[in-house]
Amino acid sequence: MNNYLIRNLLLAVPATMLLAAAPAAAQHVQWAARLVAVSSYKAEGKEPFSPNQVLGVPNALPLGQISNDAWIPRKEGPNEFIEVRFARSIQAQQVTIVENFNPGSITKVELVDTKGEHHEVYTNDNPGPLPEAFRTLEVRFPPADYRTLGVKVYMNTAKVEGVNQIDAIGIADVASTMVKQAFDAPKGPDAIKSSQFDSSLVNLGPNVNTRYVDTHPVISPDGRTLYFARQSMPENVGGGRDPQDVYYSTLVSGRNKTWSKAKNIGGPINTPDDPNGLASVSANGQSAIVINIYNRDGTIDPQGCSLSKRTRMGWTQPVKQDIKDFINLDKEHVDFFLATSGKALLMAVERPDGLGGQDLFVSFPVPETPNTWTKPKSLGRTVNTEKSDFAPFLAADEKTLYFASDGRGGYGKSDIFYTKRLDDSWTNWSTPRNLGPVVNSPDFDAYYTISAAGQDAYLVSSRNGIDNSKDIFRISLAPAFQPEVVTLVTGQVLDVNTKKPIRAIIHYENLLTGEEIGVTETDPRDGSYTIVLPSGVQYGMRAEAKGYISENASLDVTAKDKYSEQKEDLFLVPFDVGQTVKLNNIFFQQSKYYLTTTSYPELARLIRILKEYPSVEIKISGHTDNQGDPALNLKLSVDRVNEVKKYLVSHGINGGRITTEGFGGSKPIASNDQEETRAKNRRVEFTITKK
């Protein structure tokens, strides 16, 4: 068998779970993802006893013994502390701190909100040794009006003799217990059955499945297009002898979950003499990763993958993705998957630096070098085993990873498992869990894929297939075992004056940290775009096209607790004298002129424009709504634009290039009758006065 054809595998996770949350609360628990500050330490990096050992799920088990996998501070009395951040903010109701050894030294616990402010939720004026049963500190409290992004723990280590260790710090927006002892965890079959589904497998029917092998489904993030492969089908580009072609089907009825009759995707993705396969598709459906390298002479090279884009004329010739130091010792098998953001390329390959058989690795884009990726990095021993680990699928939350493994036991030769990424290292994962007997069986079960909504999963199975062939099935996942909540955002990029669509590149970022989350392109036919935004973050979005300046948009999904779809058009302003650009991502403290940190990414881009075009001069205008005293509103608008100018000057922009003016509420652009429209009137914008 060669690497293009599907392999026989059965999809699962470890038979015992040392840690658990109540099933309904599983997706509400977060463990520390990043170290911010620490008072002292005995080791650095990821060495035993280092502060980084606090990150991720509790792993210093059994509790009550000194462990390499927990932090040890130096003995310095009452001034020890550690501060961490989480991957996303939540409206916390509890914080849990696992004191692995010699508990009782914690004196204070503070929550850190998205603005960096600290809130004390626990204090202990009389620290001292505690019995082993109290080594997990659970602090519960009513939900507040702020969202928690971090925790700071204070300790007086002089009050507890011997080594003090902290293994993990977690938060949750529910009050149920976050940690269970190893002896409380389910064993054997009960552990495997812990994953729950709302239904049995449902065959997608004859519009998708045939008496031939239908395999490797890839669902688009919006859940409306299903790509898959068919083997030896007479309608293949090369006829019935063609090993494998890519097909696609579209959702006809969401209510009945029925699919259109599948069509061959055609050339250039499908070739006459070689097996072809689609590994993943972008959020907007305009880009696809396909297996193999497509050479100019029409031949296929199995050592790698390529990227094809959809244009007005159809799919383009796949372009080689240059992965630095790419090695695959397994000449018959390879898998790839491109993250929804386009920021990570997962692969299952056999490498000399792996553990054995196929292992899962990740590569990242090389900046300023299109179609080039970094040297593959192993996902680590929590995910990989000494046998083959393959078929990676990263959910739209970019945290939940589904994969197949030969090395973890289960219901067959291979089972499907899932795990959660705990930080940005890509080597720190939760203990993988088996998807259970509904998905995994002694029959052939493989290649698991989920839409952004996270409700329906698709996979390949030989159970009850048409003429006993391998078919594609759907299964509904119980809420507790769906990926984390995301918002699917769609819209168009338009010229602000003509409202005509523009072909553009779209960037979206975390407004709190300034970190770029993802990049995508608009559909060349109508300027439309689709992106997926994980919950718990306030995002900024902007389009880029030559000759234009972006009017950036923001979308706050910090409080989203279920899947949603939202429309957001993005506007581009011609880079000409007299044109006015709204600075939509400039934020101030309520009724004050102080800039918030979420304004910095927007201001940084304005600074770059002014430095790139040193002759450009601008006028910054401030506006409020009509609520309150008009004189105070006028003063507030003046103070705010002056604060913006002050910030620009402090970052190297000549103040002579900037004039300011405040208008208060005298120039509304929307109705002041309702808050939703009134908010549009509270704005800062700049006009190009000289170019």
Side-chain angles (χ1 to χ4, degrees):
M1 182 181 295
N2 58 45
N3 64 313
Y4 323 105
L5 299 180
I6 211 76
R7 59 181 295 168
N8 285 330
L9 46 117
L10 301 168
L11 308 181
V13 144
T16 59
M17 293 182 299
L18 299 179
L19 308 168
Q27 57 188 343
H28 301 281
V29 172
Q30 289 200 73
W31 297 98
R34 181 166 60 90
L35 179 69
V36 173
V38 65
S39 56
S40 65
Y41 47 84
K42 289 183 174 292
E44 298 184 58
K46 294 189 176 181
E47 296 297 316
F49 314 130
S50 70
N52 280 311
Q53 298 294 346
V54 168
L55 304 180
V57 298
N59 53 12
L61 298 168
L63 295 174
Q65 298 180 10
I66 294 178
S67 170
N68 289 348
D69 298 325
W71 167 56
I72 299 179
R74 288 200 307 268
K75 278 289 181 181
E76 293 189 357
N79 299 315
E80 297 296 314
F81 68 86
I82 189 166
E83 185 173 351
V84 297
R85 293 290 185 270
F86 301 93
R88 296 189 178 90
S89 63
I90 63 172
Q91 197 168 27
Q93 294 190 50
Q94 72 160 301
V95 57
T96 292
I97 303 161
V98 180
E99 296 181 87
N100 180 62
F101 192 61
N102 285 335
S105 66
I106 295 175
T107 58
K108 185 169 61 173
V109 179
E110 294 176 341
L111 304 184
V112 184
D113 66 22
T114 54
K115 297 180 180 178
E117 297 178 359
H118 289 233
H119 308 267
E120 186 176 302
V121 293
Y122 172 83
T123 183
N124 178 16
D125 295 329
N126 297 296
L130 292 175
E132 188 175 290
F134 294 95
R135 59 186 172 238
T136 298
L137 174 63
E138 296 179 338
V139 183
R140 295 184 175 90
F141 37 82
D145 57 0
Y146 58 85
R147 295 182 67 83
T148 297
L149 187 62
V151 167
K152 188 172 184 177
V153 179
Y154 299 83
M155 304 166 66
N156 186 346
T157 54
K159 294 295 185 178
V160 180
E161 288 189 10
V163 171
N164 302 123
Q165 282 196 303
I166 289 183
D167 171 30
I169 301 172
I171 55 173
D173 57 5
V174 290
S176 55
T177 298
M178 293 169 61
V179 178
K180 290 186 178 181
Q181 305 289 346
F183 49 78
D184 291 333
K187 305 294 194 300
D190 291 337
I192 294 178
K193 292 178 182 178
S194 63
S195 293
Q196 300 174 13
F197 295 85
D198 285 342
S199 71
S200 58
L201 290 177
V202 177
N203 192 299
L204 293 192
N207 280 352
V208 172
N209 294 312
T210 65
R211 62 186 182 89
Y212 301 93
V213 172
D214 304 287
T215 186
H216 208 317
V218 175
I219 189 72
S220 61
D222 65 8
R224 297 182 176 97
T225 306
L226 181 71
Y227 300 89
F228 61 98
R230 278 182 182 165
Q231 295 175 6
S232 304
M233 178 82 171
E235 285 76 16
N236 284 0
V237 169
R241 292 178 299 175
D242 190 341
Q244 185 171 289
D245 269 11
V246 177
Y247 285 74
Y248 70 97
S249 176
T250 55
L251 190 64
V252 175
S253 170
R255 176 176 295 182
N256 298 324
K257 298 181 179 179
T258 56
W259 294 86
S260 68
K261 187 171 181 59
K263 296 180 180 179
N264 190 303
I265 204 170
I269 290 178
N270 289 330
T271 56
D273 301 318
D274 298 285
N276 308 112
L278 188 146
S280 58
V281 65
S282 64
N284 62 359
Q286 303 307 306
S287 299
I289 289 289
V290 293
I291 59 173
N292 309 320
I293 295 170
Y294 288 65
N295 298 318
R296 291 183 178 180
D297 62 3
T299 60
I300 290 288
D301 180 355
Q303 288 294 307
C305 64
S306 301
L307 178 71
S308 180
K309 296 183 178 181
R310 191 163 68 175
T311 68
R312 298 175 187 271
M313 306 302 294
W315 291 92
T316 63
Q317 179 72 19
V319 175
K320 175 185 177 182
Q321 300 302 286
D322 186 5
I323 304 169
K324 295 182 181 296
D325 192 26
F326 180 82
I327 299 172
N328 185 20
L329 301 177
D330 187 334
K331 303 303 181 183
E332 295 186 349
H333 306 110
V334 67
D335 294 310
F336 293 95
F337 186 84
L338 182 64
T340 305
S341 67
K343 291 286 188 177
L345 179 64
L346 292 161
M347 63 196 77
V349 292
E350 184 177 352
R351 291 176 56 89
D353 51 348
L355 299 181
Q358 283 180 282
D359 279 348
L360 298 185
F361 291 80
V362 62
S363 289
F364 307 102
V366 175
E368 310 300 328
T369 312
N371 302 310
T372 305
W373 300 83
T374 61
K375 176 182 176 180
K377 177 181 184 179
S378 172
L379 299 192
R381 289 182 174 271
T382 301
V383 172
N384 291 316
T385 66
E386 294 181 355
K387 295 184 179 180
S388 287
D389 306 282
F390 51 99
F393 174 84
L394 189 66
D397 63 5
E398 305 223 344
K399 298 290 183 183
T400 309
L401 174 68
Y402 300 86
F403 68 101
S405 178
D406 287 343
R408 298 179 178 276
Y411 297 94
K413 180 177 180 291
S414 303
D415 274 12
I416 297 177
F417 298 76
Y418 79 93
T419 177
K420 293 275 188 177
R421 182 164 63 89
L422 302 175
D423 59 30
D424 292 333
S425 70
W426 289 83
T427 59
N428 191 13
W429 300 83
S430 67
T431 302
R433 295 178 64 182
N434 192 294
L435 289 186
V438 178
V439 168
N440 296 313
S441 76
D443 294 315
F444 178 93
D445 311 283
Y447 290 90
Y448 190 87
T449 180
I450 304 176
S451 67
Q455 297 169 352
D456 289 327
Y458 299 85
L459 69 155
V460 176
S461 178
S462 59
R463 287 173 280 180
N464 302 316
I466 296 175
D467 291 341
N468 296 316
S469 68
K470 295 179 179 66
D471 280 356
I472 298 172
F473 292 78
R474 186 191 73 248
I475 190 168
S476 297
L477 195 60
F481 295 92
Q482 295 173 7
E484 296 178 25
V485 172
V486 299
T487 297
L488 187 81
V489 184
T490 61
Q492 286 181 292
V493 176
L494 304 170
D495 183 301
V496 71
N497 298 320
T498 67
K499 302 301 186 291
K500 291 183 178 180
I502 300 172
R503 185 172 184 176
I505 304 294
I506 295 173
H507 300 259
Y508 48 106
E509 65 191 355
N510 183 326
L511 279 181
L512 185 64
T513 65
E515 175 193 4
E516 184 172 88
I517 303 299
V519 180
T520 189
E521 297 181 25
T522 59
D523 187 324
R525 297 169 295 182
D526 59 6
S528 64
Y529 76 94
T530 302
I531 58 176
V532 179
L533 303 179
S535 187
V537 173
Q538 184 177 4
Y539 292 94
M541 300 176 289
R542 72 182 189 278
E544 290 185 353
K546 188 175 181 180
Y548 287 91
I549 299 176
S550 173
E551 279 193 350
N552 302 339
S554 65
L555 188 62
D556 191 344
V557 296
T558 53
K560 291 282 188 181
D561 58 1
K562 61 181 180 180
Y563 173 78
S564 61
E565 297 184 7
Q566 185 159 332
K567 191 176 190 309
E568 185 75 39
D569 289 336
L570 301 177
F571 295 96
L572 288 171
V573 180
F575 194 1
D576 294 320
V577 172
Q579 293 290 327
T580 298
V581 181
K582 296 185 185 70
L583 295 170
N584 293 318
N585 290 345
I586 298 291
F587 305 99
F588 301 90
Q589 295 182 19
Q590 187 171 2
S591 300
K592 298 182 183 300
Y593 62 85
Y594 305 117
L595 288 163
T596 66
T597 56
T598 49
S599 303
Y600 296 161
E602 178 90 280
L603 290 168
R605 278 187 293 278
L606 180 54
I607 290 167
R608 284 198 296 271
I609 291 172
L610 293 174
K611 287 184 176 180
E612 186 176 353
Y613 300 95
S615 63
V616 165
E617 296 181 3
I618 62 173
K619 180 176 77 171
I620 304 176
S621 304
H623 304 266
T624 68
D625 58 33
N626 69 346
Q627 304 297 293
D629 187 330
L632 292 178
N633 285 339
L634 178 61
K635 183 178 186 304
L636 180 62
S637 66
V638 171
D639 289 343
R640 284 181 168 179
V641 292
N642 285 337
E643 188 71 8
V644 172
K645 177 178 178 178
K646 178 181 174 182
Y647 186 93
L648 299 177
V649 171
S650 71
H651 286 75
I653 304 302
N654 186 337
R657 300 169 60 192
I658 305 168
T659 58
T660 61
E661 188 172 6
F663 293 93
S666 64
K667 292 190 174 185
I669 58 173
S671 169
N672 277 303
D673 294 338
Q674 296 179 341
E675 172 56 27
E676 184 178 355
T677 54
R678 192 160 54 234
K680 297 179 180 179
N681 294 326
R682 301 190 293 268
R683 67 195 189 278
V684 174
E685 53 195 23
F686 72 89
T687 302
I688 301 171
T689 57
K690 180 182 177 182
K691 185 176 177 182

